[in-house]
């Protein structure tokens, strides 16, 4: 079967001679990206090497090719004569050329795309802006997928992938990408449909078929998955990507022989393939094959003789086989290369202690502690009177015996109402005097169903590299037959996507092989601070939730603080803590047992409003916290020369405060892309505003701080507002820490105005629903802090009005023209939808087609799509063809979708409050002009519904040859209690029924 990626490579190569140097440089990167997908990786290598050496090419193209040639040489892994060891930097001249070309033709999709791709290669934040501009100017599936690749949040990703499929509904890559988005949201049925379509439209696309096989495997359809994998392996034996992915899938399913063969095959061409290497490591460990494992590490060291991780692994293997001298020598060599690696020194200490060399082990631990003074475990090991060789677990008194717990649980009946049961969750938090804290977490789950086995086959522990050290102390499965199987450590992975280039987020992935129903899984790990000082001063803020979506047998939280320090502790819906003092510490212990899973009803209240929790803070009041936070972030608000020039240009022709506010608000929205990951000190502290402006991206704090700085410089006082969004729910007002907040916006006190810098299509009067009604702490630049509640829009502020003039023709066709006016909550979404002129007609038709399946839209005009301060108006005209040639028509009472029960009250009854998104008002006016001789055979009766939840009015009026239908619906109440729910659902059902009433028109003859 033809490999479609070979075809793609041929197309790129065929275009080469007709392209400019900038286009060729972009093509080099695209060809490099095909290296693992084509049938011959060597073909890509030789092509790129040829470009790098072709003196007829421009210098920037050759330098670009030389960069990727060096990467491929390094990834090849076999040491060769003349092998490139250093990877040259990407050429700076190319970026300058691309910027010049885009500046010459700012409306060229081609040049915006090329510039965006070149900027993305170099990790520049402006890449997303140029790629999106290209997709808007000339929409193609490929361009919208490039936009999706750089999205920092799921909403952006979904919108870009949807646009890709709108541009080309048959594009298999877009379908695969959207399917992977659905898999991430556990919408497997939608993903399967898309992957099947992709596989059918291009049978040679092995990527879609491989992903489809993975979905079969995750659904427990092992036979179907294996059949797909076997067929792919036979049809496409060459591509490196497929070999690696099949090896990983076979390993997950327990077919280790097949996995090992494929991984070995992969490594013969690309020894730097970490996935294939880790597969072999796990298999060799599982089989106890120390010699093969050592050979693999030795080959790893041949690739990089200074790789300390490989050295340490070989040293441990040698020491374990009794070759102490070689093991110790290798470990000393590794430490000489990385003297500040505290983990290496602890590994060496363990090796020395096992040999009985207690003094030398203690020396290594002391040096590890010098590197990381906050590692409490090392400190206690050093202080323990029985010596380093015997270590005491300082948290043992609070942990549970996982083995005994497993034996007891496995004798009892499984709870098949839940995929898993939390047998125990223990958290021990030890606070140092400077506010830094180490955390020990022990989690023990019992697997109750096949879905639970799939869900818990892998567990990830997230931490911030550089500021936290993670040590996994235990990760194992307790089987029913008494066996204990250690998990396989798949190593760390960086966060993917745009943000991964800028933040230090890491996830340690642990794989539990062969998880079965009835197994008990234990994960025990410790997080310790890496830094020597607390970057926040003496601040501590911690929120620990009790209860979860799973039933729990035991949950325990232990807080250990210096006895001399006082903390503000808020415990809600919790039994009283046991408090005691010992050895200069104060210990608090909270515990709950045998609690059911939290109800999981759609649109239910967040956990903090129903579940128990404990909150700990070093601040007694919000004013204390405000003064501290203002001092922490004050240096970030300084404007550099470039930002001051930009501000002068933005407000130069603005006379009033309101005009300046609107201009600055839109400037921040248009000039900074939202990236939503925050780690390290920047979890609470924004980046300098000049840096945010320079790199054109930031998280919510960064965008809010930039807006505050610009407003203040323009003479308008503004506060940063820390927000606990509605998704998180309310929390006690005495929980005085930043940890309770998950968002940041801007508050302008003079005008009681709230501005959200992440709502990129919203005007200053259109606050996102997640913000409305939320708890917020406003902090002024001088440190004054006040806890507030963000206002909720009134029903008439979220308003939609549609008017349609529909002319019924004698042959049954209906010609129409109309307009829709929208303000409030729906306006930002419409601006995004209608932003690209070429998509406007399809968007209007799709909305009408929800009610009128056979509808044609001929013309559309949109007002307010590109001006955030104007409401959105859409004018449209077209024809309804569904009644053509019929003697009678059945007309709808509304041309809007009216699925109130399904969308708002889908459950027959509720145990929890129902939370509605917003109050709103919808009005509609339909004018049906009848042809001569037509008759109204059936017209519904007028209807009025008046309830505490909202009102509805439907009126039908005959004026000569015209029928006018006017409707008005208003929902007012946002929270429906269980006792009110039956009445609310009845209101929705009656309202829906009223709109299902039909108008029947008979035509002449």
């Amino acid at each position: 079967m033809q490999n479609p990626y070979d075809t793609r490579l041929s197309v790129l190569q065929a275009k080469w001679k007709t392209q400019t140097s900038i286009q060729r440089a972009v093509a080099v990167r695209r060809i490099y990206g095909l290296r693992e997908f084509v049938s011959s990786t060597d073909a890509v290598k030789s092509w790129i090497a040829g470009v790098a050496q072709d003196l007829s090419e421009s210098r920037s193209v050759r330098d670009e090719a030389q960069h990727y040639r060096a990467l491929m040489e390094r990834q090849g892994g076999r040491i060769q004569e003349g092998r490139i060891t250093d990877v040259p930097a990407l050429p700076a001249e190319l970026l300058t050329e691309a910027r010049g070309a885009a500046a010459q033709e700012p409306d060229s999709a081609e040049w915006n795309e090329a510039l965006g791709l070149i900027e993305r290669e170099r990790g520049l934040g402006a890449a997303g802006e140029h790629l999106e501009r290209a997709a808007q100017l000339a929409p193609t599936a490929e361009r919208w997928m490039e936009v999706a690749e750089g999205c920092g949040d799921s909403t952006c990703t979904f919108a870009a992938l949807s646009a890709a499929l709108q541009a080309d509904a048959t594009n298999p890559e877009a379908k695969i990408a959207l399917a992977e988005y659905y898999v991430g949201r556990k919408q497997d049925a939608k993903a399967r449909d898309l992957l099947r379509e992709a596989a059918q439209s291009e049978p040679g696309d092995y990527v879609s078929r491989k992903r489809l096989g993975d979905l079969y495997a995750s659904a427990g359809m092992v036979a179907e998955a294996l059949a797909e994998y076997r067929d792919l392996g036979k049809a496409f034996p060459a591509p490196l990507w497929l070999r690696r992915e099949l090896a990983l899938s076979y390993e997950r399913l327990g077919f280790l022989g097949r996995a090992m063969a494929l991984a070995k095959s992969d490594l013969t061409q690309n020894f730097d393939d970490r996935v294939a290497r880790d597969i072999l490591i796990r298999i060799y460990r599982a089989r106890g094959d120390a010699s093969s494992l050592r050979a693999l590490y030795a080959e790893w060291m041949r690739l990089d003789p200074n790789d300390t991780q490989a050295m340490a692994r070989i040293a441990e293997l040698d020491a374990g086989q009794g070759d102490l001298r070689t093991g110790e020598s290798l470990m000393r060599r590794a430490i000489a290369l990385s003297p500040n690696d505290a983990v290496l020194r602890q590994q060496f200490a363990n090796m020395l202690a096992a040999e009985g060399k207690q003094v030398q082990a203690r020396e290594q631990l002391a040096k590890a502690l010098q590197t990381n003074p906050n590692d409490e475990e090392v400190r206690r090991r050093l202080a323990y009177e029985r010596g380093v060789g015997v270590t005491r677990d300082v948290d043992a008194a609070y942990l549970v015996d996982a083995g005994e717990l497993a034996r007891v649980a496995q004798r009892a009946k499984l709870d098949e109402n839940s995929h898993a049961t939390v047998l125990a969750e223990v958290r021990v938090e030890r606070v140092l005097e400077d506010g830094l804290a180490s955390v020990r977490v022990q989690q023990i789950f019992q697997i109750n169903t096949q879905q639970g086995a799939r869900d818990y086959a892998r567990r990830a522990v997230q931490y911030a590299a550089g500021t936290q050290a993670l040590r996994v102390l235990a990760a194992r499965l307790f089987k029913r037959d008494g066996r204990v199987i250690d998990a396989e450590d798949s190593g760390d992975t960086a966060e993917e996507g745009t943000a991964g280039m800028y933040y230090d987020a890491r996830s340690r992935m642990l794989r539990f092989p062969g998880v079965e129903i009835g197994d008990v899984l234990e994960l025990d790990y410790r997080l310790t601070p890496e830094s020597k000082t607390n970057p926040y001063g003496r601040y501590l803020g911690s929120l620990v939730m009790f209860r979860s979506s799973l039933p729990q047998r035991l949950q325990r939280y232990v807080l250990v603080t210096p006895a001399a320090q006082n903390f503000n502790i808020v415990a809600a819906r919790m039994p009283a803590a046991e408090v005691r003092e010992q050895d200069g510490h104060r210990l608090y212990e909270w515990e709950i047992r045998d609690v059911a899973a939290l109800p999981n009803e759609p649109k239910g209240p967040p956990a903090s409003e129903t579940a128990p929790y404990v909150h700990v803070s070093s601040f007694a009041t919000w004013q204390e916290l405000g003064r501290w936070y203002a001092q922490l972030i004050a240096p970030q608000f300084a404007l550099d020369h470039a930002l001051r020039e930009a501000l002068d240009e933005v407000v130069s022709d603005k006379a009033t405060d309101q005009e300046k506010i609107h201009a600055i608000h839109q400037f921040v929205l248009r000039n900074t892309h939202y990236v939503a990951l925050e780690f390290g000190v920047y979890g609470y502290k924004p980046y300098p505003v000049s840096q945010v402006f320079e790199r054109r991206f930031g998280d919510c704090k960064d965008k809010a701080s930039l807006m505050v700085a610009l407003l203040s410089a323009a003479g308008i006082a503004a506060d940063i507002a820390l927000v606990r969004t509605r998704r998180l729910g309310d929390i006690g007002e005495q929980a005085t820490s930043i940890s309770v907040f998950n968002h940041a916006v801007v508050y302008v006190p003079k005008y009681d105005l709230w501005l959200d810098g992440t709502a990129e299509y919203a005007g200053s009067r259109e606050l996102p629903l997640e913000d409305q009604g939320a708890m917020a702490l406003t902090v002024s630049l001088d440190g004054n802090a006040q806890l507030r509640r963000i206002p909720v829009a009134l029903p008439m502020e979220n308003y939609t009005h549609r008017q349609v003039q529909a002319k019924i023709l004698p042959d049954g066709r209906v010609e129409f023209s109309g307009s829709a006016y929208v303000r409030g909550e729906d306006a930002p979404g419409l601006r995004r939808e209608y932003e690209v002129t070429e998509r406007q007609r399809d968007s209007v038709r799709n909305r009408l087609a929800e009610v009128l399946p056979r509808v044609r839209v001929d013309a559309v005009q949109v007002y307010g799509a590109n001006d955030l301060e104007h409401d959105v108006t859409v004018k449209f005209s077209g024809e309804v063809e569904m009644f053509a040639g019929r003697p009678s028509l059945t007309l709808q009472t509304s041309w809007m979708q009216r699925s109130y029960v399904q969308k708002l009250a889908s459950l027959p009854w509720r145990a929890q409050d129902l939370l509605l998104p917003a109050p709103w008002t919808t009005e509609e006016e339909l004018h049906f002009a009848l042809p001569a001789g037509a008759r109204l055979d059936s017209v519904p009766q007028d209807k009025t519904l008046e309830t505490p939840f909202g009102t509805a009015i439907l009126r039908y009026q005959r004026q000569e040859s015209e029928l006018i239908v006017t409707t008005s619906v208003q929902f007012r109440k946002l929270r429906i209690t269980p006792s009110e729910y039956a009445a609310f659902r009845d209101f929705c059902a009656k309202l829906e029924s009223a709109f299902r009433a039909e108008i029947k028109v008979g035509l002449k003859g």
Side-chain angles (χ1 to χ4, degrees):
M1 192 176 292
Q2 177 66 36
N3 183 342
Y5 297 94
D6 291 346
T7 304
R8 197 170 304 173
L9 175 62
S10 299
V11 169
L12 286 170
Q13 292 171 338
K15 291 180 178 178
W16 184 265
K17 293 298 183 184
T18 64
Q19 292 180 318
T20 66
S21 61
I22 296 173
Q23 292 169 327
R24 290 184 182 185
V26 170
V28 169
R29 174 64 182 85
R30 285 181 166 147
I31 289 172
Y32 170 78
L34 294 174
R35 67 196 183 282
E36 294 186 341
F37 294 87
V38 295
S39 299
S40 173
T41 303
D42 288 340
V44 174
K45 286 182 181 178
S46 60
W47 172 272
I48 291 178
V51 173
Q53 296 167 356
D54 187 350
L55 296 179
S56 68
E57 294 289 354
S58 69
R59 177 62 181 271
S60 57
V61 172
R62 283 187 283 124
D63 287 349
E64 187 87 359
Q66 184 69 2
H67 172 82
Y68 287 110
R69 177 194 175 198
L71 282 180
M72 293 190 75
E73 290 284 357
R74 173 172 288 182
Q75 290 160 356
R78 302 297 175 185
I79 298 176
Q80 305 164 359
E81 189 68 31
R83 174 174 176 261
I84 299 171
T85 56
D86 295 323
V87 177
L90 290 163
E93 299 83 0
L94 185 62
L95 180 61
T96 304
E97 291 173 27
R99 284 174 172 166
Q104 290 276 339
E105 298 183 53
D107 292 330
S108 166
E110 188 175 2
W111 290 128
N112 274 281
E113 179 183 21
L115 176 57
L117 291 172
I118 290 168
E119 288 173 329
R120 177 175 290 172
E121 277 184 304
R122 290 151 178 78
L124 300 178
E129 176 186 340
H130 291 117
L131 291 172
E132 188 167 356
R133 173 73 174 153
Q136 291 167 348
L137 288 166
T140 66
E142 289 75 14
R143 285 185 175 130
W144 279 114
M145 287 174 65
E146 286 164 354
V147 174
E149 186 181 337
C151 282
D153 62 87
S154 60
T155 302
C156 167
T157 302
F158 181 74
L161 293 176
S162 299
L165 283 174
Q166 282 187 353
D168 181 1
T170 65
N171 189 285
E173 281 192 80
K175 290 179 180 178
I176 293 169
L178 186 56
E180 290 180 344
Y181 166 86
Y182 284 134
V183 168
R185 299 177 68 85
K186 300 191 182 302
Q187 294 174 283
D188 289 353
K190 288 185 176 181
R192 270 197 300 274
D193 290 344
L194 281 168
L195 291 173
R196 284 169 178 157
E197 288 177 19
Q200 289 169 3
S201 62
E202 191 169 348
D205 190 342
Y206 55 77
V207 174
S208 59
R209 290 178 57 190
K210 169 62 175 59
R211 297 301 190 214
L212 185 58
D214 293 342
L215 272 181
Y216 288 147
S218 68
M221 301 164 66
V222 176
E224 290 84 348
L226 287 174
E228 197 70 62
Y229 296 157
R230 280 195 297 269
D231 288 347
L232 285 172
K234 291 177 183 177
F236 302 97
L240 281 173
W241 179 88
L242 185 58
R243 270 185 276 164
R244 178 197 311 128
E245 289 293 308
L246 287 176
L248 199 56
S249 295
Y250 280 134
E251 186 205 7
R252 287 171 182 162
L253 292 173
F255 293 86
L256 300 186
R258 294 181 189 178
M260 187 162 61
L262 285 166
K264 283 182 175 179
S265 171
D266 194 349
L267 290 183
T268 58
Q269 291 192 43
N270 184 11
F271 193 79
D272 201 40
D273 188 332
R274 178 168 182 168
V275 174
R277 196 167 60 201
D278 287 348
I279 289 171
L280 287 177
I281 289 171
R282 290 194 294 268
I283 293 173
Y284 291 149
R285 282 179 176 170
R287 293 181 170 182
D289 188 349
S291 61
S292 295
L293 195 57
R294 192 189 192 287
L296 185 63
Y297 287 134
E299 187 69 12
W300 187 348
M301 280 188 61
R302 280 224 306 147
L303 172 66
D304 184 354
N306 294 325
D307 191 310
T308 57
Q309 184 182 9
M311 286 181 207
R313 299 278 179 86
I314 293 175
E316 289 172 337
L317 283 170
D318 288 345
Q321 295 294 316
D323 189 354
L324 305 180
R325 179 177 296 180
T326 303
E328 192 172 323
S329 173
L330 264 177
M331 193 66 87
R332 289 191 186 280
R333 179 181 162 196
I335 286 175
L337 289 168
S338 299
N340 295 321
D341 190 328
V343 174
L344 266 181
R345 291 192 178 276
Q346 289 182 64
Q347 287 176 296
F348 193 21
N350 292 338
M351 182 186 296
L352 291 167
E355 298 172 21
K357 298 179 179 180
Q358 308 295 350
V359 175
Q360 294 95 320
R362 188 177 290 108
E363 289 174 357
Q364 292 301 324
L365 286 174
K367 290 177 181 177
L369 193 61
Q370 288 175 3
T371 302
N372 183 10
N374 293 312
D375 193 324
E376 187 176 338
E377 183 181 358
V378 175
R379 183 185 294 113
R380 288 182 179 272
R381 284 182 64 182
L382 279 169
Y384 189 47
E385 61 184 3
R386 293 175 61 188
V388 184
V390 181
T391 61
R392 181 171 64 114
D393 188 341
V394 296
D395 301 320
Y398 312 111
L399 305 181
V400 299
D401 184 331
E404 178 60 25
L405 199 61
R407 285 189 289 274
V408 172
Q410 287 168 342
R411 289 195 295 266
K413 184 179 179 181
L414 293 174
D415 181 359
E416 296 179 355
N417 295 318
S418 177
H419 294 313
T421 298
V422 181
L423 300 181
E425 181 170 341
V426 180
R427 179 185 179 92
V428 182
E429 190 165 6
R430 295 180 177 275
V431 183
L432 303 177
E433 291 185 359
D434 61 2
L436 289 172
S438 67
V439 178
R440 174 76 172 271
V441 176
Q442 183 191 34
Q443 297 172 321
I444 303 173
F445 304 91
Q446 184 170 33
I447 308 303
N448 299 330
T449 67
Q450 192 62 48
Q451 182 62 48
R454 290 191 289 270
D455 291 345
Y456 286 84
R458 286 175 175 265
R459 303 295 291 168
V461 180
Q462 192 177 77
Y463 70 104
T467 59
Q468 288 181 314
L470 168 65
R471 185 176 179 191
V472 177
L473 303 170
R476 51 191 175 175
L477 274 180
F478 295 88
K479 309 291 287 186
R480 283 180 178 270
D481 59 10
R483 288 179 298 146
V484 180
I485 300 175
D486 287 335
E488 297 162 355
D489 190 337
S490 299
D492 289 354
T493 58
E495 289 293 330
E496 296 182 356
T498 306
M501 296 186 291
Y502 311 107
Y503 297 106
D504 293 328
R506 294 291 184 272
S507 288
R508 176 72 54 80
M509 187 64 67
L510 299 157
R511 179 177 177 273
F512 294 84
V515 182
E516 298 175 305
I517 295 173
D519 286 353
V520 171
L521 178 154
E522 181 191 19
L523 178 57
D524 181 3
Y525 63 89
R526 186 194 302 276
L527 290 169
T528 54
E530 291 263 63
S531 57
K532 299 179 181 179
T533 58
N534 190 341
Y536 302 122
R538 299 185 68 171
Y539 166 75
L540 172 75
S542 183
L543 176 63
V544 179
M545 300 299 302
F546 284 68
R547 296 189 69 185
S548 70
S549 60
L550 298 176
Q552 292 179 302
R553 300 288 175 261
L554 167 67
Q555 186 174 354
R556 179 181 294 146
Y557 173 43
V558 179
L559 176 67
V560 184
T561 73
Q565 292 186 20
N566 292 319
F567 289 86
N568 177 18
I569 296 176
V570 177
R573 296 176 285 274
M574 287 290 298
E578 179 184 336
V579 184
R580 58 189 183 279
E581 293 191 11
Q582 63 184 46
D583 301 330
H585 292 89
R586 184 175 296 117
L587 290 85
Y588 304 82
E589 185 173 344
W590 291 269
E591 184 178 293
I592 61 173
R593 289 180 178 270
D594 297 322
V595 293
L598 284 170
N600 186 24
E601 296 178 345
K603 299 183 178 66
S608 66
E609 297 183 11
T610 59
Y613 64 82
V614 174
H615 178 272
V616 182
S617 173
S618 51
F619 292 113
T621 67
W622 290 115
Q623 282 296 331
E624 284 183 23
L625 186 147
R627 288 191 293 271
W628 163 79
Y629 190 60
Q631 186 177 6
L632 177 73
I633 66 177
Q636 313 305 91
F637 288 90
L639 276 62
D640 63 6
H641 179 70
L643 192 49
R644 288 190 178 280
E645 280 192 341
L647 175 63
D648 291 342
E649 185 177 343
V650 168
V651 300
S652 60
D653 59 345
K654 306 300 184 290
T656 66
D657 280 357
Q658 284 80 3
E659 288 176 341
K660 293 177 183 178
I661 291 169
H662 295 163
I664 290 170
H665 177 236
Q666 293 202 33
F667 173 77
V668 172
L669 291 181
R670 300 300 191 200
N671 287 277
T672 54
H673 176 62
Y674 176 55
V675 175
L677 280 179
E678 309 121 345
F679 290 94
V681 67
Y682 296 105
Y684 298 149
K685 181 179 181 179
Y687 280 88
V689 295
S690 295
Q691 184 177 346
V692 175
F693 174 66
E694 178 186 8
R695 65 187 187 180
R696 298 297 200 273
F697 81 91
D699 65 16
C700 57
K701 299 182 305 301
D702 299 326
K703 290 169 75 87
S705 298
L706 177 59
M707 204 180 300
V708 167
L710 293 173
L711 288 168
S712 300
I716 301 167
D719 301 345
I720 190 167
L722 304 175
V723 179
R724 183 175 176 86
T725 57
R726 287 171 61 184
R727 174 174 55 83
L728 291 190
D730 281 352
I731 200 165
E733 293 189 359
Q734 300 306 312
T736 52
S737 80
I738 296 186
S739 63
V740 303
F741 300 108
N742 66 323
H743 190 39
V745 300
V746 175
Y747 178 61
V748 184
K750 182 177 180 180
Y751 300 103
D752 194 25
L753 180 65
W754 301 82
L755 304 170
D756 190 327
T758 69
E760 298 183 359
Y761 290 85
S764 60
R765 297 171 294 117
E766 297 161 350
L767 204 59
L769 296 181
E770 274 290 289
D771 298 343
Q772 295 183 34
M775 168 181 163
L777 180 72
T778 59
V779 181
S780 64
L781 297 182
D782 63 5
N784 184 47
Q786 184 172 345
L787 194 64
R788 305 176 190 267
R789 182 74 63 177
I790 300 178
V792 176
L794 298 173
M796 284 303 295
E797 291 175 317
N798 296 322
Y799 175 70
T800 297
H801 179 84
R802 177 181 285 180
Q803 185 171 27
V804 177
Q805 301 286 339
K807 181 181 179 182
I808 302 173
L809 302 180
D811 63 359
R813 291 177 297 123
V814 180
E815 294 178 346
F816 65 85
S817 63
S819 65
Y821 165 81
V822 177
R823 66 170 177 255
E825 63 155 325
D826 286 338
L830 288 179
R831 291 193 191 99
R832 179 189 289 273
E833 185 176 346
Y834 294 134
E835 184 177 37
V836 179
T837 304
E838 292 79 4
R839 298 208 311 264
Q840 290 174 354
R841 188 164 63 175
D842 283 344
S843 295
V844 172
R845 185 204 170 281
N846 290 342
R847 287 176 176 267
L848 289 172
E850 292 175 348
V851 180
L852 306 166
R854 292 183 58 192
V855 63
R856 188 183 76 238
V857 175
D858 298 325
V860 171
Q861 291 178 296
V862 179
Y863 305 91
N866 298 308
D867 187 341
L868 303 185
E869 295 306 319
H870 281 77
D871 300 327
V872 178
T873 299
V874 182
K875 294 186 177 181
F876 51 88
S877 61
E879 183 176 297
V880 179
E881 303 168 333
M882 58 193 297
F883 304 114
R886 298 183 185 180
S888 63
L889 290 74
T890 300
L891 301 175
Q892 302 295 319
T893 299
S894 172
W895 282 23
M896 300 180 185
Q897 193 177 46
R898 307 279 187 170
S899 304
Y900 297 110
V901 174
Q902 179 184 353
K903 291 184 177 180
L904 302 179
S906 58
L907 300 181
W909 61 276
R910 294 184 67 94
Q912 294 181 300
D913 288 358
L914 169 67
L915 305 187
L916 298 180
W920 78 91
T921 301
T922 300
E923 294 180 348
E924 191 174 23
E925 189 174 322
L926 305 179
H927 294 253
F928 295 106
L930 306 179
R935 63 188 183 278
L936 287 170
D937 293 337
S938 176
V939 177
Q941 295 292 315
D942 291 352
K943 187 82 171 179
T944 299
L945 298 172
E946 180 71 45
T947 75
F949 317 109
T951 58
I953 301 172
L954 291 81
R955 296 284 183 266
Y956 304 87
Q957 183 181 6
R958 176 76 182 264
Q959 291 184 354
E960 298 180 353
S961 62
E962 184 178 62
L963 176 67
I964 304 172
V965 182
T966 57
T967 61
S968 175
V969 176
Q970 185 175 92
F971 279 77
R972 294 189 292 267
K973 197 165 183 180
L974 292 185
R975 194 169 191 125
I976 312 297
T977 66
S979 62
E980 298 172 318
Y981 181 70
F984 173 75
R985 193 166 193 262
D986 182 63
F987 169 59
C988 292
K990 287 179 177 176
L991 182 54
E992 199 170 303
S993 176
F995 277 106
R996 281 200 297 266
E998 297 175 338
I999 304 161
K1000 296 187 182 298
V1001 179
L1003 300 176
K1004 183 178 180 181

